[in-house]
């Protein structure tokens, strides 16, 4: 399983996609960003596994916009029972 997609937790509700791209630019090319601003988290997919790992190594628990970031590799989405 390729590890290019990251979970970003504890994001400030005011963070924007361009701000996150600027933060991540030193670690490699970002393929996609999906933010859930009203929930304070998002997902970022890097082009390479090395970029994703470097972002975790450098940014996990670092403060960004007043909050300590929580980064980890994204896990596959679990199936939810239909209602």
């Amino acid at each position: 399983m390729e590890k290019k997609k990251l979970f970003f937790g504890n994001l400030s509700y005011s963070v924007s996609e361009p701000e996150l791209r600027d933060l991540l630019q030193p670690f490699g090319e970002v393929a996609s960003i999906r933010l859930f601003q009203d929930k304070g988290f998002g997902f970022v997919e890097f082009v390479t596994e090395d970029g994703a790992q470097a972002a975790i190594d450098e940014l996990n628990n670092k403060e960004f916009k007043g909050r300590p970031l929580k980064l980890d590799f994204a896990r596959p989405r679990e199936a939810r029972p239909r209602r």
Side-chain angles (χ1 to χ4, degrees):
M1 180 176 152
E2 291 186 16
K3 293 188 174 188
K4 298 182 201 178
K5 192 171 188 177
L6 302 180
F7 168 81
F8 268 68
N10 205 33
L11 288 170
S12 167
Y13 296 131
S14 66
V15 72
S16 69
E17 185 176 323
E19 289 172 321
L20 206 49
R21 279 191 187 277
D22 287 346
L23 176 70
L24 298 171
Q25 186 272 332
F27 307 107
E29 187 177 347
V30 172
S32 66
I33 295 176
R34 184 160 184 212
L35 291 177
F36 297 86
Q37 290 172 311
D38 59 330
K39 307 248 189 229
F41 73 92
F43 295 93
V44 174
E45 185 170 1
F46 279 84
V47 172
T48 67
E49 291 180 29
D50 290 342
Q53 184 63 60
I56 288 175
D57 293 345
E58 291 293 321
L59 297 176
N60 192 37
N61 294 315
K62 298 285 179 166
E63 191 171 306
F64 179 63
K65 295 194 77 159
R67 301 182 80 167
L69 295 173
K70 302 296 180 194
L71 276 71
D72 203 352
F73 290 107
R75 293 184 294 239
R77 189 172 183 174
E78 294 179 12
R80 294 182 183 180
R82 291 187 178 228
R83 292 183 182 191

